[in-house]
Amino acid sequence: MSQKLILIDGNSIAYRAFFALPLLNNDKGVHTNAVYGFTTMLLKILEEEQPSHVLVAFDAGKTTFRHKTYEEYKGGRQKTPPELSEQFPLIRELLDAFHISHYELDQFEADDIIGTLARQGEKEDWDVKVISGDRDLLQLVSDKVSVALTKKGITNVETYTPSFMKEKMDVDPSQIIDLKALMGDSSDNIPGVPGVGEKTAVKLLNQFETLDGVYEHLEEVSGKKLKEKLTDNKDNAYMSKDLVTINVDSPIEVGLEKAQYEGYEYQKVSSFFRDLGFNSLLSRIGGEEAEAEEVNESLPEIEVETIEDIKEEHLAETTALVIEMLSESYHTADIEGVGIVHDGGKYFIPGDQALHSEVFKKWAEDANKKKWVFDAKKTLVAMKRYDIDVKGLSFDLLIASYIINPSENHHDIPAISQRMDRKEVAFDEEVYGKGAKMKVPDTEVLADHVGRKTDMLFQLKETVEEQLKENEQWDLYHELEMPLSQILGIMEYTGVQVDVDRLKQMGEDLKERLAELEKEVYELAGEEFNLNSPKQLGPILFEKLELPVIKKTKTGYSTSADILEQLQDKHPIIEKILIYRQLGKLQSTYIEGLLKVVHEDTNKIHTRFNQALTQTGRLSSIEPNLQNIPIRLEEGRKIRQAFIPSEEGWKIFAADYSQIELRVLAHIAQDEKLISAFKEGADVHTKTAMDVFHVSEDEVTDQMRRQAKAVNFGIVYGISDYGLSQSLGIPRKEAKKFIERYLESYPGVKAYMDEVVQEAKQNGYVTTLMNRRRYLPDITSRNFNRRSFAERTAMNTPIQGTAADIIKKAMIDLYHALEHEGLEARMLLQVHDELILEAPEAELEKLQSLVTKVMEETVDLEVPLKVDDEQGDTWYDAK
DNA sequence: ATCGGCACGC
DNA sequence: GACGTACGTGCCGATC
C-alpha cells in the first residue's frame, strides 16, 4: 500500500492559529489559542488524511544560512509576541502526546526540512502533503506533492496541485521561485524587483518562462520603465531567487522512517486536553464513546427525586424551574419533564404530569411565587400551551448571560456553568445525542440531567445578578430585557394570521412563470441544466456563451446578482436568469417556506424572536424569519398581502421610526449640524449630499442624493470603504474620499468616531444608551483587518445598539399603554425599526396617535424621534 | 450532516 | 500590502 506523508510547517501554523483566534486564557491564565488552533488543525488532518507518516518542522533559531547571503533577511519583522512564544513548548508537548515527530535544524528553516523530506518521499513514490500558511512552499508542488495553504482561520485550507496552480495563479510549480524572485516578499524582507508585483511577474513568466528567460530576452520586454527596473535590479532579482529557493538537500538527521505515525494514545491526549481545558475537543478524540449514563457517572453526585404527583410541599416561594424540551421549537415541542429546585429539595416531574396538575398551575400562576428560569419567553409560551399563565418569572439566566456578554455563542446552562468553572452539568448533546440520533433518554437519566441544570440555575443566580449590578446593567436587564421577554412571548404565542389560499395562489402563478423562464433560459443556453446551481450555471455563461468573467469564487465563477447585472446587455439570457432567481427565491423561501410553518388548525404563523443572539442588541427572528419578508421589489412585496388580521373587521397597523439610527448618531455624537438637520425636519440624505458635495439644495442631483444615502447607510452599518465602493459600484479610493468628506462635513461625528475607538481601546468594550455592552478584543490586534473591523464595530454598535434599546423600550411602553387605554389592539411583530400590530377598525384613530406618541416619547434625545404609521387590510396595504 | 453561493430584510 | 471587509435567516446544490 502506498504511503502518505504529511509535513506540517509548525511555525507557520502556530502563527496562523495565534492570529486567527482570540487570545484565550485557560483557567490557569496560560494563553492557549495557538495550541488550540494547532490541535483542531491536527485533528482534522489526521481524520481526513489517515496518514502513515507525519512530521512537524519548526524554525530553529534566529539566524539561518540565508542571513549570510542577505543580512536583512526577514528584517523589519515584528518580533514574535510573547503570548505566542510561550505556547511553542505546549505545541511540542501536544505533538509528543500524539506520538508525532517534530524536528528543527540549526541554521535551517522549517521550509528546508519540509522540502528535503518532501523530495525524499517523492523519490519513494509516496503521496506527500505539505500543510502551511506560507506560499513559498508552493515551489514544492509536483505530481506527488501537494501543498495545502491555510485560508481563513486555520482548518480552512486550499490544496494546491499542479493543475490547480496553473488555473488559479497561471504559473507552474517550477516557476514559483522565479515569480518570487521578481515580485519579492515584503514579509520576509525580500526585495525582488521593485515595482514588479504579482500581475507583472506572471505576465513576464508567461512570456519568457523563467527568470533567466526574462533576462536573456530583456529587449523584448514591453514598457521602457519596466525594462529599466529589471536592468537596474538584476542582482536583487537573482539574490531574491537564492533566498526563496528552498533547500531540498538539507543535512537533516532524520529520515522518513522517523516520521512514521501509528496513532495516538487516548489517555495521553485526553489528559493533555484536560490540563489545558480543551473540554470541547475531548469528544473529538477516539476514546470510549461517552454514553449518557457514563457522562453522568463522571460528574459529582446529585440527588434528584422523581415525583409523579406534584404536591405543594414540592414547590416553594422561590424556585428554579426548567421546562425541558428536546427540540428548539417550543411552539410545538413535547415537554419531556420539569425540573424544580429550591432550598427544600430537587425534583423532577414528567412533563404531562406537571402541566396537567392543578397544584402546579396554581403555583405557576401565582405572581408571588418567584420562578428562576432559563429563557423566560420559552417557559411562558410552553406553559401557555397548557393554559397556564405563568407569573413571577423573576430571573432569566439566558437573558442575564447575554447581557453580560453577547459575544458568547453558547448561553445554555452547561456552557454558562462551565465558563464559571463549574463542571457539574453535561451538555445536552452528550445526554440526548444530536441530529437524527437525538432521543429522549430513560427517565432516570433525564431526571438527573434536568435536575442538574435546574440546580445549576438555582446556584448561579446570585453570582450572575451581582455581575449585572457590577456592570451597571441591572436596569437594562431588569427594566428592559426582562419585561420585553414577556411581551415577545405573548407576541409569538399570538402569532400572525396568514391567508393560506392567497399564498398558494401566488405559488401557482410563480410555478408557471418559473417553468416558462426555465424553458427560455434552456433555449438560450442550448441545453438543459440545473438553473439553481451556480456551479452548473457558471460554465454555461462563461465558457459556452463566452461572457466575460468578472469575478471568481473559490469554487468557480461568481454568478451573483451584482455580477449578472454587469453582463445584462451582453446576452438576453442574463435578464431571464435574474428574473428566475428573483422569483425562485420568492417561491422557495417565502411561498413554500411560509406554508411549511403555518399551523394547520389556526392558519397562523408563530415565529420565535431570538432575544439573546445578536451582537448589537437587535432581535432576530426564526422559523420563520418574519424580519426579512420582501418589500423592495413590488413582485416580492405582494407576499405581504398574505399577512392579514386574525379577526373580522380588524386591520393591520404598522409604525416605523424614520431614520432612527442617524438620529441616534446625531444625539450621541452631539453633532450640531446633524442635530439641526433633524430639528428642521430636513430630508437627511439631501442634507448630507449638500454638505458632502458643497452644493445648495436645488443643486443636489438624484445621483448625489443616492450616493449620500449610501454613505449614511455606511455610517449606520459600519461598513468599510470597500463595502461602500461595492454598494455604489465605484472604486475604493473614491468611496474612501466620500467617507472622509462626510467626516469633514460633520466634525461632531468625526470626534465621536475617534472617541469611541479610544473608549473601546481603554475599556475593551463599547456601550449603548442603556448600557448594553459589546466587547471588542480585536481593537488592539496587530492584524490590520481585524483591528479595522473592530474599529468600525466600535463606531457602529453604539448607534445600532441604542436604536435597538429604544425600540425595545417603546414596545414595553406601548404594551402598557394599550393595556391602560383598554384597547384590544395587539403587537404582532418587530422588524428592527418598526412595529406591526393588528387592531379593530374602530381603534385605528386612537391607535394612530397613541402609538406615534409612545414611540416618539419613549426616550428624550437631543433630536426628535419621528414615527410614520400606516394601516390597511393586509401587511402589504399598511405602506 | 455540513459547506458554499446566493438572496431577502434592516 | 492585505490572506476580508455591517447584522441576521434560510434556501439550494454539492459533498462526504
Side-chain angles (χ1 to χ4, degrees):
Chain A
M1 210 183 95
S2 156
Q3 306 286 305
K4 186 172 210 172
L5 168 65
I6 303 286
L7 295 166
I8 298 171
D9 185 343
N11 290 70
S12 167
I13 298 297
Y15 260 89
R16 272 297 169 136
F18 181 75
F19 288 111
L21 299 172
L23 195 58
L24 300 165
N25 296 340
N26 72 355
D27 46 13
K28 294 169 195 103
V30 181
H31 298 296
T32 54
N33 62 334
V35 191
Y36 183 87
F38 200 102
T39 310
T40 55
M41 184 273 319
L42 191 63
L43 284 171
K44 183 163 184 253
I45 291 179
L46 294 178
E47 199 174 300
E48 283 180 1
E49 305 286 345
Q50 301 284 328
S52 58
H53 294 72
V54 185
L55 182 134
V56 179
F58 288 103
D59 295 337
K62 288 197 182 73
T63 64
T64 67
F65 68 89
R66 288 182 176 86
H67 289 93
K68 288 181 192 145
T69 318
Y70 184 48
E71 273 181 31
E72 288 89 54
Y73 180 63
K74 295 205 172 173
R77 255 204 188 180
Q78 282 244 333
K79 82 183 226 283
T80 309
E83 295 88 349
L84 172 57
S85 308
E86 70 190 36
Q87 296 187 54
F88 277 103
L90 289 172
I91 293 176
R92 292 194 172 85
E93 251 182 67
L94 166 83
L95 295 170
D96 291 335
F98 268 90
H99 295 312
I100 286 175
S101 44
H102 47 93
Y103 185 67
E104 59 193 62
L105 178 62
D106 192 33
Q107 294 296 311
F108 287 83
E109 291 179 63
D111 287 11
D112 302 307
I113 300 166
I114 289 174
T116 306
L117 284 168
R119 288 288 172 262
Q120 286 182 17
E122 192 172 31
K123 224 176 270 170
E124 303 288 333
D125 208 27
W126 291 8
D127 285 321
V128 181
K129 188 164 189 172
V130 176
I131 320 283
S132 176
D134 184 351
R135 302 181 77 83
D136 280 0
L137 284 157
L138 290 178
Q139 62 186 272
L140 299 174
V141 170
S142 72
D143 286 342
K144 298 302 296 180
V145 180
S146 63
V147 174
L149 294 184
T150 51
K151 289 183 68 187
K152 197 174 124 190
I154 345 117
T155 54
N156 191 349
V157 297
E158 192 160 45
T159 303
Y160 287 75
T161 57
S163 57
F164 180 73
M165 248 164 93
K166 186 76 197 163
E167 190 197 323
K168 169 125 184 172
M169 309 171 66
D170 205 16
V171 290
D172 293 323
S174 59
Q175 294 175 308
I176 289 288
I177 297 174
D178 292 350
L179 182 75
K180 285 269 170 178
L182 285 164
M183 62 186 268
D185 184 338
S186 60
S187 71
D188 286 346
N189 205 25
I190 290 173
V193 177
V196 173
E198 185 174 348
K199 289 267 153 57
T200 315
V202 170
K203 210 176 75 194
L204 287 168
L205 290 175
N206 275 333
Q207 199 180 348
F208 305 108
E209 283 189 15
T210 63
L211 185 64
D212 289 338
V214 172
Y215 279 103
E216 277 161 26
H217 302 90
L218 248 187
E219 66 286 353
E220 292 165 41
V221 172
S222 58
K224 196 172 146 222
K225 268 264 155 67
L226 179 57
K227 216 177 292 179
E228 251 174 49
K229 278 185 265 181
L230 284 166
T231 316
D232 293 349
N233 290 286
K234 188 169 176 180
D235 290 349
N236 267 340
Y238 278 95
M239 180 190 72
S240 298
K241 179 172 174 167
D242 278 348
L243 288 173
V244 300
T245 303
I246 290 174
N247 185 335
V248 294
D249 204 12
S250 313
I252 55 173
E253 297 131 354
V254 289
L256 289 174
E257 71 287 347
K258 261 305 254 285
Q260 187 155 17
Y261 174 68
E262 290 168 322
Y264 55 84
E265 275 174 76
Y266 176 76
Q267 286 306 329
K268 275 200 164 168
V269 173
S270 61
S271 84
F272 179 82
F273 284 2
R274 283 202 190 90
D275 281 354
L276 288 192
F278 294 173
N279 297 313
S280 62
L281 292 179
L282 282 169
S283 60
R284 282 189 52 186
I285 53 174
E288 45 279 23
E289 276 288 303
E291 288 293 318
E293 280 86 348
E294 287 178 49
V295 167
N296 292 342
E297 271 168 24
S298 67
L299 300 168
E301 288 287 316
I302 175 172
E303 284 294 326
V304 180
E305 188 185 337
T306 299
I307 47 182
E308 298 287 328
D309 193 14
I310 193 163
K311 303 210 175 68
E312 272 174 37
E313 67 203 54
H314 298 127
L315 303 162
E317 291 299 304
T318 301
T319 307
L321 170 72
V322 167
I323 308 282
E324 186 73 342
M325 290 168 266
L326 265 59
S327 149
E328 301 268 289
S329 27
Y330 51 73
H331 288 296
T332 53
D334 293 333
I335 294 171
E336 305 299 344
V338 174
I340 285 180
V341 169
H342 46 76
D343 285 327
K346 306 179 173 67
Y347 306 103
F348 173 82
I349 313 138
D352 276 340
Q353 260 103 331
L355 291 148
H356 287 129
S357 146
E358 275 307 313
V359 175
F360 183 75
K361 180 177 158 86
K362 188 162 168 266
W363 169 81
E365 293 185 340
D366 184 346
N368 292 319
K369 311 285 186 205
K370 301 297 175 206
K371 289 102 189 168
W372 301 350
V373 300
F374 178 89
D375 197 343
K377 177 159 65 67
K378 167 168 140 180
T379 309
L380 178 137
V381 171
M383 293 176 77
K384 240 182 175 315
R385 285 167 48 205
Y386 287 79
D387 199 33
I388 298 175
D389 268 308
V390 64
K391 299 266 164 55
L393 295 168
S394 69
F395 170 71
D396 185 339
L397 182 60
L398 170 64
I399 303 282
S401 170
Y402 169 71
I403 293 300
I404 289 168
N405 191 355
S407 73
E408 292 289 355
N409 292 321
H410 302 281
H411 292 289
D412 49 300
I413 295 174
I416 296 170
S417 73
Q418 197 171 66
R419 284 201 286 279
M420 300 212 162
D421 233 13
R422 304 285 299 264
K423 286 160 193 153
E424 290 119 84
V425 197
F427 290 95
D428 284 348
E429 213 177 285
E430 295 174 310
V431 181
Y432 302 142
K434 65 167 174 178
K437 289 187 203 119
M438 188 156 82
K439 64 166 207 293
V440 185
D442 296 341
T443 307
E444 203 184 311
V445 175
L446 182 67
D448 180 84
H449 183 59
V450 174
R452 281 171 187 280
K453 288 207 276 190
T454 318
D455 189 35
M456 187 53 65
L457 170 62
F458 189 69
Q459 292 182 42
L460 290 178
K461 189 236 184 195
E462 205 177 308
T463 324
V464 167
E465 285 194 346
E466 269 169 25
Q467 173 90 64
L468 285 167
K469 285 174 185 159
E470 199 178 300
N471 289 1
E472 296 183 346
Q473 292 182 304
W474 180 255
D475 285 354
L476 172 65
Y477 162 79
H478 199 254
E479 306 303 327
L480 194 81
E481 300 291 355
M482 283 295 281
L484 180 70
S485 147
Q486 313 266 320
I487 293 166
L488 290 173
I490 297 167
M491 289 163 66
E492 293 177 4
Y493 184 77
T494 303
V496 191
Q497 196 70 46
V498 168
D499 183 342
V500 171
D501 294 333
R502 173 125 215 166
L503 271 186
K504 283 183 177 159
Q505 185 55 51
M506 290 185 206
E508 291 297 320
D509 296 346
L510 280 173
K511 196 175 152 199
E512 274 177 36
R513 295 176 60 194
L514 282 165
E516 178 61 27
L517 281 163
E518 197 179 355
K519 214 177 95 202
E520 289 171 2
V521 168
Y522 293 157
E523 264 166 36
L524 287 164
E527 67 180 288
E528 297 199 355
F529 59 98
N530 189 337
L531 190 42
N532 285 318
S533 161
K535 203 185 159 196
Q536 293 182 37
L537 177 62
I540 301 270
L541 295 182
F542 302 111
E543 288 169 25
K544 189 162 180 185
L545 301 178
E546 294 180 329
L547 293 168
V549 178
I550 297 172
K551 190 175 134 197
K552 283 193 152 200
T553 65
K554 61 179 130 191
T555 50
Y557 307 100
S558 171
T559 68
S560 60
D562 61 312
I563 302 296
L564 293 188
E565 271 157 24
Q566 295 176 53
L567 299 169
Q568 218 162 31
D569 48 352
K570 300 267 197 301
H571 199 287
I573 198 172
I574 300 294
E575 181 161 23
K576 304 274 181 206
I577 295 169
L578 283 168
I579 300 175
Y580 178 89
R581 282 252 178 95
Q582 192 201 326
L583 301 187
K585 174 78 179 175
L586 293 181
Q587 180 79 303
S588 66
T589 305
Y590 297 107
I591 303 287
E592 291 167 1
L594 287 175
L595 284 171
K596 247 183 266 175
V597 291
V598 175
H599 278 232
E600 261 181 28
D601 21 340
T602 59
N603 278 356
K604 277 186 165 191
I605 286 183
H606 304 266
T607 186
R608 273 156 35 226
F609 290 106
N610 197 335
Q611 198 187 345
L613 183 128
T614 69
Q615 303 302 302
T616 54
R618 277 186 171 185
L619 301 175
S620 81
S621 155
I622 55 168
E623 269 185 285
N625 181 352
L626 292 182
Q627 292 181 322
N628 73 343
I629 303 301
I631 189 163
R632 238 181 59 248
L633 302 172
E634 177 58 23
E635 200 74 70
R637 191 174 198 155
K638 289 215 159 59
I639 299 283
R640 294 178 175 227
Q641 291 172 341
F643 290 81
I644 56 175
S646 64
E647 301 195 38
E648 206 51 41
W650 285 39
K651 300 271 179 190
I652 299 291
F653 180 91
D656 69 286
Y657 280 112
S658 160
Q659 306 294 352
I660 187 167
E661 281 97 349
L662 289 173
R663 287 170 202 265
V664 165
L665 173 63
H667 171 83
I668 321 188
Q670 293 287 310
D671 184 284
E672 281 174 30
K673 256 160 106 183
L674 210 49
I675 290 174
S676 63
F678 282 120
K679 280 192 172 161
E680 289 157 17
D683 173 320
V684 71
H685 300 314
T686 303
K687 183 73 170 48
T688 304
M690 289 161 61
D691 291 334
V692 171
F693 298 110
H694 307 299
V695 293
S696 69
E697 189 168 350
D698 3 314
E699 289 167 327
V700 175
T701 62
D702 284 357
Q703 158 91 346
M704 285 157 121
R705 187 177 181 279
R706 192 180 64 85
Q707 294 191 326
K709 190 174 169 181
V711 174
N712 279 330
F713 183 85
I715 298 289
V716 166
Y717 287 122
I719 62 175
S720 58
D721 50 2
Y722 173 87
L724 181 62
S725 78
Q726 289 295 300
S727 71
L728 282 174
I730 56 170
R732 204 166 78 181
K733 280 195 178 151
E734 258 174 66
K736 199 171 168 186
K737 262 195 203 126
F738 276 155
I739 295 173
E740 278 163 11
R741 275 156 72 181
Y742 178 93
L743 293 176
E744 278 166 28
S745 307
Y746 298 99
V749 174
K750 170 89 172 82
Y752 157 73
M753 298 289 180
D754 294 341
E755 275 163 37
V756 79
V757 168
Q758 272 318 109
E759 183 192 319
K761 284 203 174 114
Q762 186 105 55
N763 300 333
Y765 60 85
V766 290
T767 56
T768 67
L769 185 69
M770 303 197 188
N771 245 356
R772 193 183 302 283
R773 280 188 186 185
R774 181 172 185 178
Y775 290 90
L776 299 167
D778 280 351
I779 200 85
T780 54
S781 170
R782 288 161 293 260
N783 176 311
F784 175 86
N785 287 323
R786 298 175 72 114
R787 193 175 61 249
S788 307
F789 186 35
E791 286 169 359
R792 295 203 303 276
T793 311
M795 303 181 220
N796 152 258
T797 298
I799 304 172
Q800 215 190 101
T802 298
D805 292 348
I806 292 172
I807 193 164
K808 282 177 167 178
K809 176 154 188 298
M811 290 171 77
I812 298 167
D813 292 349
L814 180 58
Y815 184 84
H816 293 307
L818 293 174
E819 208 170 37
H820 185 253
E821 299 290 326
L823 296 175
E824 284 189 87
R826 319 175 180 120
M827 259 187 276
L828 299 176
L829 298 172
Q830 187 250 50
V831 191
H832 308 310
D833 65 354
E834 68 173 324
L835 295 176
I836 293 106
L837 294 83
E838 61 178 2
E841 188 158 11
E843 288 183 5
L844 287 176
E845 211 172 314
K846 179 136 197 206
L847 211 54
Q848 226 176 347
S849 56
L850 182 72
V851 175
T852 310
K853 184 171 156 59
V854 168
M855 287 174 74
E856 287 181 350
E857 292 177 5
T858 192
V859 290
D860 188 20
L861 305 183
E862 288 291 324
V863 291
L865 288 175
K866 184 164 173 281
V867 171
D868 298 317
D869 66 271
E870 311 287 348
Q871 47 192 277
D873 286 325
T874 73
W875 191 4
Y876 174 92
D877 300 297
K879 64 175 178 186

